[in-house]
Amino acid sequence: RPTEVGSELVLGRYRLGPRLGAGGFGTVFAATDERLRRPVAVKVLAAPFDRDRSFLERFRREARAAAGLSHPNIVAVFDSGSDDGTHFIVTELVEGETLADRLRRDGPMPPEETVAVAVDIARALAAAHDRRLIHRDIKPGNVMLLPDGRVKVVDFGIARAAGSDTLTGTGVVLGSTADLPPDQAGGQTADE
């Protein structure tokens, strides 16, 4: 488990830096890809998911599916793997703030900006849906607003390839409760 900033080297390649955030499925660290000498983000899978073999297989399969996405409004997935019991996904590192942080700080955005952000989110989701990948946790905390005005959707970590096994077990629904669509909250299959 990553503990000390700058000391942890994952797969002999990714040097972990400061913790950027945490969610229900893992912790995100700023990191450096020592081989390519570029900044990246590393999301480390949290317990108990890191010990559930069936979940880990679905996590790997979905990381591969997310890595196949290439769109200006989607954070790129570069790598995924396991190192001595630490399971992770490596993505591009984006600077900026989440839409949630922006709304918390400034309140509602002007209508023109709201529409521009919504259009970029819709473009990201359309690109994912074209690849039959469902995000399943769209919320302001998973939308990054970059300083240059670009918008990027992050955290396809609980996304699922449409038509494959879901990441839900009996009585378990994944996603952020406040942001779930009614069909997903009711335990039905999420789709495009």
Side-chain angles (χ1 to χ4, degrees):
R1 286 272 152 236
T3 53
E4 190 177 324
V5 171
S7 67
E8 184 76 18
L9 197 59
V10 177
L11 282 185
R13 178 174 181 173
Y14 304 107
R15 184 160 311 277
L16 299 185
R19 180 178 163 257
L20 299 176
F25 286 89
T27 302
V28 179
F29 295 89
T32 301
D33 179 339
E34 302 247 319
R35 186 177 305 156
L36 297 178
R37 300 196 189 286
R38 69 176 172 186
V40 295
V42 176
K43 182 170 189 174
V44 177
L45 195 59
F49 305 105
D50 62 343
R51 293 184 299 274
D52 180 329
R53 289 184 190 274
S54 63
F55 183 89
L56 287 172
E57 179 51 39
R58 291 187 299 256
F59 177 78
R60 288 182 191 107
R61 185 170 56 235
E62 292 174 13
R64 284 190 298 270
L69 291 174
S70 178
H71 190 273
N73 298 114
I74 298 174
V75 168
V77 174
F78 296 144
D79 195 6
S80 69
S82 298
D83 185 7
D84 196 27
T86 298
H87 310 282
F88 61 91
I89 294 177
V90 179
T91 68
E92 73 177 297
L93 178 66
V94 292
E95 301 294 331
E97 65 180 337
T98 67
L99 177 57
D101 289 341
R102 164 77 187 277
L103 293 171
R104 208 172 4 262
R105 186 188 69 235
D106 297 340
M109 296 186 312
E112 312 79 43
E113 190 176 0
T114 300
V115 169
V117 169
V119 166
D120 283 347
I121 294 168
R123 287 181 176 142
L125 294 177
H129 295 170
D130 286 347
R131 299 287 309 250
R132 308 251 324 129
L133 195 68
I134 313 297
H135 188 287
R136 290 177 39 138
D137 197 23
I138 289 296
K139 60 184 179 182
N142 283 338
V143 175
M144 293 293 297
L145 305 176
L146 283 63
D148 64 6
R150 291 181 297 145
V151 174
K152 293 226 180 207
V153 175
V154 302
D155 200 3
F156 274 82
I158 66 168
R160 73 167 178 87
S164 72
D165 295 338
T166 66
L167 286 178
T168 58
T170 304
V172 177
V173 177
L174 298 181
S176 301
T177 307
D179 303 299
L180 285 176
D183 53 342
Q184 192 175 337
Q188 297 171 2
T189 301
D191 63 15
E192 298 90 339

